[in-house]
Amino acid sequence: EKFLKPNPHLAQQLKQLPLRKILFTNGPRRYGIRCIQALGLSEIFPEDHIVGVENVMPYCKPDPEAFTAILARAQLFSHRAIMVEDSMKNIRTAHSLKMRTILIDESLYTNLAGGEAALLDDVARADDPAVDVALASINDLYTALPELWHTPNPRFVPPPPHHK
């Protein structure tokens, strides 16, 4: 909570997005709830749309079984789901399950790659075939994919390669 601040821009974007939103964290569900509260997104992610690692045990991300458990719980077909993620391991699993993928790669702004992800051999790679769209910030979602907001029952179609 000390490191997370409300993000009114993101809240406004997500509030207007006509898709169901589910948060899946490898942390405890309570941690996910606290993060959502700190970001000011509780209205967008009600508590029953927040899934913690304890809800998918004995699996966790990036295990495919964890993802399929979430999809089953939400009664979603994988090809109708979009995974927004900063972990390449999770992006690759989502892609393997036929989910659409949006990679959040902050190094696109900073030209710095690494940190904890490098230690885990999980550095973001916008050019990876599992990535449908790469964004430098979650705040760029509407700019990159306005069709999600303006198309009835949008079928996410990756934009031309210049978005990567």
Side-chain angles (χ1 to χ4, degrees):
E1 295 152 343
K2 175 169 122 177
F3 300 103
L4 297 175
K5 304 291 180 222
N7 187 336
H9 177 76
L10 179 60
Q12 188 62 29
Q13 279 188 49
L14 293 179
K15 185 184 273 189
Q16 294 173 358
L17 181 63
L19 302 173
R20 187 167 28 146
K21 291 153 281 290
I22 299 168
L23 174 80
F24 175 25
T25 176
N26 257 355
R29 185 170 174 273
R30 184 73 205 135
Y31 168 79
I33 292 169
R34 288 176 48 210
C35 289
I36 289 298
Q37 290 169 341
L39 290 167
L41 302 176
S42 297
E43 185 179 334
I44 291 115
F45 291 93
E47 288 191 17
D48 64 336
H49 286 207
I50 299 173
V51 180
V53 70
E54 69 271 23
N55 302 117
V56 295
M57 291 299 271
Y59 306 106
C60 64
K61 295 189 285 184
D63 298 324
E65 296 86 354
F67 288 76
T68 56
I70 302 282
L71 292 166
R73 175 182 173 149
Q75 298 180 341
L76 284 172
F77 293 109
S78 60
H79 69 278
R80 300 287 295 159
I82 302 169
M83 179 73 161
V84 180
E85 179 63 71
D86 63 353
S87 161
M88 285 307 302
K89 292 176 182 179
N90 298 336
I91 286 283
R92 289 182 185 118
T93 298
H95 178 77
S96 76
L97 295 170
K98 309 295 183 223
M99 295 170 70
R100 302 298 186 182
T101 60
I102 300 173
L103 173 68
I104 305 302
D105 179 4
E106 292 178 347
S107 74
L108 295 173
Y109 274 150
T110 64
N111 290 326
L112 297 174
E116 184 181 348
L119 296 173
L120 300 171
D121 192 28
D122 198 28
V123 175
R125 296 203 34 136
D127 61 345
D128 190 288
V131 176
D132 290 316
V133 175
L135 304 176
S137 168
I138 188 70
N139 289 319
D140 299 336
L141 194 57
Y142 180 83
T143 304
L145 297 166
E147 63 272 19
L148 295 177
W149 279 262
H150 301 294
T151 306
N153 298 313
R155 294 184 60 113
F156 178 85
V157 176
H162 72 273
H163 280 284
K164 285 194 171 190

